[in-house]
Amino acid sequence: QVQLVESGGGLVQPGGSLRLSCAASGSIRLYSMGWYRQAPGNQRELVATQTTFGSTTQADFVKGRFTISRESTKNTVYLHMNSLKPEDTAVYYCNAFMQQKHYWGQGTQVTVSS
């Protein structure tokens, strides 16, 4: 069972950038990794995923702005966020998926506001 810890959230102005990090307690080599987010009153939604083969998917609302990447030697996954908008405000969660099991971090708050 892998444990995940997110970091890097905070307050940023519209148009700004942030990089979220997700540190895993063990190797992520065999996990598909992803980022999800949940805004108040909304359901949790997928932001971006990366398979073990390196292929990525992104939600339409972040295409061209957010990028997921992993550094397997550090057991870490990143979400690079650019051109942030107020509607990107949410708690962002890291996810690891393998053999039909999902593992979640505790989340990190991202607030986009002037």
Side-chain angles (χ1 to χ4, degrees):
Q1 181 174 348
V2 66
Q3 295 179 332
L4 306 172
V5 178
E6 302 96 335
S7 61
L11 174 64
V12 63
Q13 292 187 341
S17 299
L18 280 177
R19 187 185 75 167
L20 305 183
S21 300
C22 171
S25 59
S27 174
I28 59 173
R29 185 172 58 87
L30 299 180
Y31 289 86
S32 290
M33 302 298 297
W35 288 94
Y36 291 70
R37 71 184 188 185
Q38 187 168 18
N42 291 355
Q43 291 186 337
R44 191 171 298 188
E45 59 185 0
L46 180 139
V47 176
T49 63
Q50 185 182 62
T51 71
T52 57
F53 300 104
S55 61
T56 61
T57 60
Q58 295 168 302
D60 286 342
F61 54 78
V62 301
K63 280 184 178 178
R65 301 190 298 125
F66 293 9
T67 303
I68 185 172
S69 66
R70 73 169 71 190
E71 194 166 1
S72 295
T73 56
K74 294 185 177 181
N75 298 327
T76 300
V77 178
Y78 303 100
L79 184 66
H80 308 264
M81 306 187 294
N82 298 312
S83 302
L84 282 160
K85 304 175 181 180
E87 51 264 43
D88 294 320
T89 295
V91 178
Y92 284 71
Y93 296 91
C94 181
N95 173 268
F97 177 71
M98 184 177 72
Q99 296 180 341
Q100 309 304 317
K101 292 184 179 179
H102 287 274
Y103 302 94
W104 296 93
Q106 83 290 348
T108 184
Q109 175 71 45
V110 172
T111 302
V112 184
S113 174
S114 55

